[in-house]
């Protein structure tokens, strides 16, 4: 008899971070790794359920909902205005979300006895921004991070950890070449920054707009599988 397809569990709340999340069901009895998935602005945690369902068995997959409610069932990690000079963010909100995610990762690692080196953060758009923000400023918490149609905030750079702390990280950048929300230049900047920081990473560009298309999904799942199955 075939195993049931993975599906999002009930919404839970973590008291230490104030974040809500769902654990993909059925969860592994003894997870070998942790994958935390983060939605984009105006979305919610179940937006990445299809991506979550593709993660290999044996990995605990957690879908996180941000605390900032922008509308009915619409959430964001921080508010942003798109101006002629580029995106302008509410930096205090981005910082609050970064710290909340660090606390949630700590909680999940402790609850399920998962090592930091076997923890991967990945997200779409703003979720990708926060994945990079946590990894680059608190690299002792994670082993890898993926930025899917996102960017690395210039405002984050003063907080980035020293190269010696970043050496173990692995990164993935996926971006659509026709992305008009966050143009391809943001992926190119992220690629250059990770080169400068000495972080091994994969950068892939797709014939798509601001979206998580099937090719990007397949590539990041393969990349996650390589990390979560590594010794």
């Amino acid at each position: 008899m075939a195993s049931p397809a993975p599906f999002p569990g009930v919404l839970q709340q973590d008291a230490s971070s104030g974040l809500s999340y769902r654990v993909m069901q059925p969860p592994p009895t003894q997870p070998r790794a942790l994958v935390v998935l983060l939605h984009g602005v105006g979305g919610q945690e179940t937006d990445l359920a299809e991506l979550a369902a593709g993660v290999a068995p044996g990995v605990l997959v957690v879908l996180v909902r941000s605390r900032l409610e922008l509308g009915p069932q619409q959430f964001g990690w921080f508010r942003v205005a798109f101006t002629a000079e580029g995106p302008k963010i509410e930096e205090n909100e981005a910082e609050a979300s970064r710290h909340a995610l660090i606390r949630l990762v700590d909680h999940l690692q402790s609850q399920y006895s998962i090592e930091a080196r076997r923890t991967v953060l990945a997200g779409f758009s703003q979720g990708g921004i926060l994945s990079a923000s946590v990894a680059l400023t608190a690299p002792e918490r994670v082993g890898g991070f993926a930025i899917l149609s996102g960017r690395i905030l210039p405002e984050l750079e003063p907080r980035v950890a020293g190269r010696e702390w970043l050496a173990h990280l692995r990164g993935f950048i996926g971006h659509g070449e026709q992305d008009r929300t966050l143009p391809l230049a943001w992926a190119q900047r992220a690629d250059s920054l990770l080169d400068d920081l000495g972080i091994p990473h994969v950068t892939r560009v797709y014939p798509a707009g601001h979206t998580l298309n099937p090719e990007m999904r397949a590539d990041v799942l393969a990349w996650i599988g390589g990390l979560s199955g590594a010794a």
Side-chain angles (χ1 to χ4, degrees), residues 206-228:
Y206 304 89
H210 191 67
T211 185
L212 175 54
N213 71 354
E215 293 78 17
M216 190 189 301
R217 187 184 308 117
D219 285 346
V220 75
L221 284 171
W223 176 81
I224 288 171
L227 287 188
S228 61

Side-chain angles (χ1 to χ4, degrees), residues 114-201:
I114 299 173
E115 297 176 273
R117 69 189 180 95
R118 291 186 175 277
T119 299
V120 178
L121 271 62
F124 172 72
S125 194
Q126 265 195 13
I129 290 173
L130 265 295
S131 297
S133 295
V134 171
L136 296 178
T137 62
E140 71 281 3
R141 262 56 172 228
V142 300
F145 62 100
I147 309 169
L148 309 175
S149 300
R151 65 189 180 113
I152 297 174
L153 295 176
E155 295 87 348
L156 185 78
E157 293 184 24
R159 301 181 177 90
V160 172
R163 288 175 62 98
E164 66 277 14
W165 293 97
L166 301 169
H168 69 283
L169 287 177
R170 298 294 182 269
F172 181 95
I173 300 169
H175 213 95
E177 59 186 351
Q178 284 102 39
D179 193 329
R180 295 185 179 179
T181 302
L182 292 175
L184 182 59
W186 285 110
Q188 295 165 338
R189 292 180 196 182
D191 179 75
S192 295
L193 178 59
L194 297 191
D195 278 342
D196 292 344
L197 294 172
I199 298 174
H201 61 283

Side-chain angles (χ1 to χ4, degrees), residues 65-139:
R65 176 186 291 185
S66 67
R67 296 184 297 182
L68 180 61
E69 189 165 3
L70 304 175
Q73 297 302 302
Q74 296 181 333
F75 302 89
W77 300 100
F78 53 86
R79 278 177 281 235
V80 59
F82 292 93
T83 73
E85 292 76 36
K88 302 295 182 186
I89 70 166
E90 292 289 342
E91 191 172 356
N92 61 323
E93 293 175 349
E95 273 296 281
S97 289
R98 181 175 72 88
H99 286 290
L101 281 166
I102 290 171
R103 291 193 294 273
L104 176 62
V105 168
D106 286 345
H107 165 73
L108 293 170
Q109 289 170 341
S110 175
Q111 181 178 359
Y112 292 97
S113 300
I114 299 173
E115 297 176 273
R117 69 189 180 95
R118 291 186 175 277
T119 299
V120 178
L121 271 62
F124 172 72
S125 194
Q126 265 195 13
I129 290 173
L130 265 295
S131 297
S133 295
V134 171
L136 296 178
T137 62

Side-chain angles (χ1 to χ4, degrees), residues 11-13 17-22 36-39 43-46 62-69 72-77 97 100-101 104:
L11 195 64
Q12 306 178 51
Q13 186 164 38
S17 64
L19 292 170
S20 301
Y21 65 93
R22 298 177 191 266
V36 178
L37 298 179
L38 309 175
H39 63 79
Q44 57 180 307
E45 73 287 351
T46 52
V62 176
L63 304 166
V64 186
R65 176 186 291 185
S66 67
R67 296 184 297 182
L68 180 61
E69 189 165 3
Q73 297 302 302
Q74 296 181 333
F75 302 89
W77 300 100
S97 289
L101 281 166
L104 176 62

